[in-house]
Structure formats: structure tokens, C-alpha cells
Amino acid sequence: MEKIYCPSCRGISVKNGKQNERQRYRCKQCQKSFQLEYTYKAYNSGTNNLIKSLLKEGCGIRSISRIINISTKTVLSRMLKISKAIKSPYFQKLGCKFEVDELWSFIDNKDNVTWITYAIERQTKTVIDFTVGRKTSENIRPLINKLLLLYPKRIYTDRLNIYPSIIPKAIHKRFQYCTNIIERHNLTLRTHIKRLSRKTICFSKREKYLKAHLRIYFWG
């Protein structure tokens, strides 16, 4: 008899009755109940990974809904659930060089512009952290403070007038082409995330959805 393994913890499972003439199983280890096949595709074990992959490949929420054949509300709720399980990387290398830049997007409607400010490490191109909101020192300072804890050798930015007041002059550099790497990364972001495209009908209905999508793209 073929063994049935739990999709959550890979524990051995046993039969646990039927629902709509479909056999259900219960995991001996984590006690979760499941089916091998579901009528509604959102319950299939590979759905979350598929949503994650499609979000990284430029598909919008409605596109994913049509491809997987599940509702847009389910796609959004799964996106939030996936992002909450993702932890930002623990970057501990000291004395690195970082680039910081901003790119704009929309929240709720195209009259409501918001800004994504994020930092990458120059050599590995790792995204250290990001913030979403207005371009103010209050919003950007926590991101810069996180970089300062790593005792950076240099922090490169554009000529936004906020940076000189929150980055020590000794390590702050602003000159032409000094943010080439992160500017190129901005282009990749706009290509791979539909809601960030410059000319698009897609935009985030809520800030939490934009943040969730970015977490999945950066660290998922």
C-alpha cells in the first residue's frame, strides 16, 4: 500500500473519512487534514509556490486569478500570507558599500503617488531593507539607521536633499553615476512587478499589498 505524506510536514498520514466523495487524510505528526486533490484549486499544495513565481514574473493579480482559476481575493490573501512567512535576510557583513534610491508607484488611484526607498549592497546586490511612503526624513531614517549599524564604508545616494541630514558626511557620496547599480535594479523591478510599470493600468489598492509583493520579490 502506497504511503501518503502530509504536504505540510511530510509526516505519514492515514485515511480520515470522505468529503464530497473524495478521500481525506490526517497527518499523524501535525494532525492536519487534507485531500490529495481539491475541486477548488486554491487548496492544492503547490498553489502558494505558483502564486509566488507568477508575482515575480510580471503577472498582475487578475492575471494570476485567470491563470490559476481562483478568485482575486484569494490571490491577495495568499500573497499577504506568503509575505508574512518571509523574513528579511540577516546581513552582518561590516564595512560594505551601499546604494540607496527611490522609485514611485501608486496606492488606490493614480493621483496618490507613493515612494519605495530601498538599499542594496554593491557587491552582492542584496536588498538590505526597504520602506514605503513619502520621501521624508521620518520615513527614510530607519532604513539609513539600519545601514549605519553595519559600519558602512560608503553610502551612495542621488541628490535628494534629505540624505545629507541623516547620513554622516564622511561616508556619504553623491556624484554622477554613483547609483548606477541600483538604478539598473529599478528597471528590473519595473519589468518584473506589473504594479511598478511606468505605463500600466495596474496599481496597488492598499499599501500592505505593495509591501507584501516587494517582500516576496526581494526575499521570497
Side-chain angles (χ1 to χ4, degrees):
M1 183 177 177
E2 184 181 358
K3 291 182 179 180
I4 303 299
Y5 295 96
C6 174
S8 298
C9 69
R10 305 306 297 169
I12 296 176
S13 304
V14 295
K15 290 183 178 180
N16 189 36
K18 290 187 177 182
Q19 184 176 14
N20 297 328
E21 298 183 355
R22 293 179 181 270
Q23 183 64 57
R24 290 186 63 79
Y25 298 89
R26 179 175 55 82
C27 176
K28 288 183 177 181
Q29 186 169 318
C30 68
Q31 302 300 314
K32 287 186 177 180
S33 297
F34 63 93
Q35 295 173 196
L36 295 181
E37 293 182 359
Y38 290 91
T39 303
Y40 188 44
K41 294 183 179 180
Y43 294 112
N44 290 333
S45 58
T47 299
N48 283 5
N49 287 333
L50 182 55
I51 291 174
K52 188 191 298 185
S53 297
L54 292 173
L55 285 171
K56 290 183 174 183
E57 293 301 328
C59 291
I61 299 301
R62 288 181 175 82
S63 299
I64 296 173
S65 174
R66 290 191 296 268
I67 292 169
I68 306 180
N69 195 23
I70 61 179
S71 71
T72 55
K73 288 185 178 180
T74 301
V75 177
L76 289 170
S77 65
R78 289 297 181 91
M79 182 173 71
L80 292 176
K81 184 178 179 180
I82 293 167
S83 69
K84 286 179 181 177
I86 297 172
K87 295 182 179 180
S88 57
Y90 181 61
F91 192 89
Q92 56 182 350
K93 187 178 179 181
L94 306 180
C96 296
K97 297 179 180 179
F98 301 96
E99 293 185 15
V100 182
D101 199 24
E102 322 84 37
L103 68 159
W104 50 263
S105 184
F106 306 105
I107 300 292
D108 192 37
N109 61 74
K110 289 202 170 183
D111 292 326
N112 186 18
V113 178
T114 192
W115 291 87
I116 302 158
T117 307
Y118 71 109
I120 65 170
E121 196 274 317
R122 259 194 166 188
Q123 186 174 4
T124 62
K125 299 180 178 61
T126 301
V127 176
I128 307 302
D129 205 353
F130 70 91
T131 182
V132 176
R134 297 173 58 195
K135 288 196 294 185
T136 64
S137 58
E138 289 77 15
N139 282 337
I140 299 177
R141 189 184 301 275
L143 173 64
I144 299 302
N145 287 343
K146 188 170 183 178
L147 297 182
L148 295 177
L149 291 174
L150 297 170
Y151 299 99
K153 187 175 181 180
R154 294 284 186 274
I155 297 179
Y156 299 94
T157 72
D158 57 17
R159 295 190 177 276
L160 181 66
N161 58 9
I162 293 171
Y163 291 122
S165 63
I166 57 178
I167 302 176
K169 185 176 180 181
I171 60 173
H172 186 203
K173 299 297 177 183
R174 299 190 300 171
F175 55 86
Q176 193 174 18
Y177 308 128
C178 72
T179 55
N180 274 6
I181 296 174
I182 198 168
E183 291 284 358
R184 179 60 182 82
H185 198 265
N186 289 348
L187 177 59
T188 303
L189 281 175
R190 293 196 182 279
T191 303
H192 288 172
I193 301 180
K194 197 169 185 179
R195 68 183 74 217
L196 297 185
S197 298
R198 291 185 181 276
K199 294 183 178 181
T200 182
I201 60 173
C202 297
F203 51 86
S204 304
K205 290 295 184 181
R206 299 288 183 272
E207 185 177 293
K208 64 180 180 180
Y209 297 132
L210 175 58
K211 289 181 176 179
H213 199 159
L214 290 171
R215 287 185 69 85
I216 292 169
Y217 186 84
F218 288 149
W219 306 314

